[in-house]
Amino acid sequence: MEIIRSVSELKEKVAHLKADGRTVGLVPTMGALHAGHISLVDRARRENDAVVVSVFVNPTQFNNAKDLQTYPRTEEADCALLREAGVDIAFIPTVEEMYPTEDTRVFDLGEVAAVMEGPMRPGHFNGVAQVVSKLFSFVSPDRAYFGEKDFQQIAVIRRMVELEKFPVEIVDCPIKREDDGLAMSSRNVRLTPENRAVAPLIYKTLKKSVEWARDHSLEDTRRLVVDELNACPGLEVEYYEIVDPLTMQPLAEWSTPHNGCARGCVTCYCGDVRLIDNIKYER
Ligand code: PAF
């Protein structure tokens, strides 16, 4: 595996791969890698001739300075995992390399960014669009891989791809969970042992709500999740919305027309760690 830190070298290496007729899969990450990331890499490995993984804690998508400062950074361990997973190129730039000048682009992300994480984290999705569009223009990947834990983020990236007309296939990959159901996340390492013990209740409650939804209204199902999670000491729901899986717009009733299976998206504080998760309602 080659570790590349400069944009020009990255472009040169990718140009060689493409000149040899090889397809390229890109897995954008912010490092602190875990088995969830590696499942994206494995899929990219199976579906492409070469795999590039970017490891970059992108400052423009953090709207909270403390969150940026405390975001885990584990480059050595990340490189060991990526090498073992058979990655061809790890792209690990500095902030100055990614943003030699301030990125002032404002993307018209529309309705998919106007709900849930959008208003809760102003500027977050624009920052994601900035960094992912830069990565796409450097690598011109055939496919790019994103985890469904950040369900709304995938819709935002699809919108950015549509705006910028990148010829890339966006591949969404299922959430990887710990044995007790907690969605894998780089932020989980910040949970105290007490918080870690209650965090699996998030997924347990989401699963219970899928059963409950069979003979309850959408609003009752939404309430169940909010009330049951808020009743657990150590957990506090920021929002729970049951949304259209493409437009991200909250649904009022199960019968509201939508594009496929409704998705329940939760953001919940566990102590001072903000965790997100989601579940599909196949009713
Ligand atoms: O999901 C993430 O880890 C980040 O938002 C991403 C897509 C790598 C952009 O920084």
Side-chain angles (χ1 to χ4, degrees):
M1 180 179 84
E2 281 195 74
I3 298 177
I4 294 182
R5 296 185 192 272
S6 91
V7 172
S8 56
E9 200 187 340
L10 175 67
K11 285 182 175 167
E12 198 183 307
K13 288 277 150 58
V14 171
H16 280 130
L17 291 169
K18 299 219 161 202
D20 289 346
R22 299 174 74 191
T23 56
V24 176
L26 171 68
V27 183
T29 82
M30 296 207 299
L33 302 179
H34 50 66
H37 295 109
I38 300 305
S39 72
L40 308 187
V41 171
D42 290 343
R43 178 139 179 213
R45 198 44 307 152
R46 288 196 298 276
E47 297 179 354
N48 302 275
D49 299 320
V51 176
V52 178
V53 177
S54 59
V55 176
F56 178 64
V57 181
N58 172 38
T60 72
Q61 72 186 76
F62 284 80
N63 58 328
N64 175 325
K66 185 164 174 243
D67 194 23
L68 171 61
Q69 204 184 350
T70 56
Y71 199 86
R73 288 158 170 91
T74 56
E75 186 181 310
E76 219 174 291
D78 291 347
C79 287
L81 282 175
L82 295 178
R83 207 169 273 121
E84 199 184 324
V87 166
D88 299 273
I89 295 173
F91 175 54
I92 314 183
T94 58
V95 173
E96 293 69 31
E97 185 67 16
M98 281 302 276
Y99 295 103
T101 56
E102 192 188 349
D103 191 341
T104 53
R105 291 173 300 161
V106 178
F107 291 83
D108 174 15
L109 298 172
E111 64 176 1
V112 294
V115 292
M116 300 192 287
E117 295 296 276
M120 288 298 166
R121 302 180 69 189
H124 166 67
F125 282 138
N126 197 61
V128 170
Q130 287 175 338
V131 76
V132 175
S133 65
K134 276 177 181 269
L135 292 167
F136 284 1
S137 66
F138 302 157
V139 177
S140 306
D142 295 277
R143 296 177 195 83
Y145 295 80
F146 297 90
E148 279 191 343
K149 183 174 73 65
D150 296 293
F151 192 71
Q152 190 180 4
Q153 172 173 272
I154 299 180
V156 166
I157 289 167
R158 288 187 192 283
R159 168 74 182 154
M160 179 279 290
V161 163
E162 179 185 88
L163 289 171
E164 301 293 301
K165 302 187 175 47
F166 284 115
V168 57
E169 181 189 339
I170 302 299
V171 183
D172 36 349
C173 304
I175 300 176
K176 271 289 225 190
R177 298 185 180 279
E178 304 290 353
D179 290 344
D180 58 13
L182 176 64
M184 288 187 183
S185 162
S186 305
R187 289 192 167 85
N188 291 352
V189 296
R190 286 170 43 200
L191 294 168
T192 62
E194 295 74 29
N195 293 151
R196 178 64 188 80
V198 293
L201 291 173
I202 299 173
Y203 182 54
K204 204 168 159 208
T205 307
L206 291 180
K207 273 203 310 194
K208 177 175 171 184
S209 80
V210 170
E211 294 301 312
W212 175 268
R214 292 187 208 288
D215 45 20
H216 289 84
S217 70
L218 184 144
E219 183 48 28
D220 283 353
T221 306
R222 206 187 65 77
R223 270 270 129 235
L224 172 91
V225 171
V226 174
D227 291 348
E228 294 223 345
L229 290 178
N230 281 337
C232 304
L235 295 183
E236 194 185 338
V237 175
E238 191 171 66
Y239 63 78
Y240 185 57
E241 295 290 0
I242 300 174
V243 302
D244 178 296
L246 292 184
T247 66
M248 300 293 122
Q249 298 311 295
L251 301 171
E253 294 182 39
W254 296 120
S255 57
T256 314
H258 49 279
N259 305 294
C261 296
R263 193 60 82 132
C265 299
V266 70
T267 292
C268 189
Y269 276 92
C270 185
D272 61 0
V273 183
R274 192 174 182 272
L275 298 177
I276 66 173
D277 203 344
N278 63 79
I279 201 153
K280 199 192 257 188
Y281 289 98
E282 291 177 286
R283 46 186 322 282

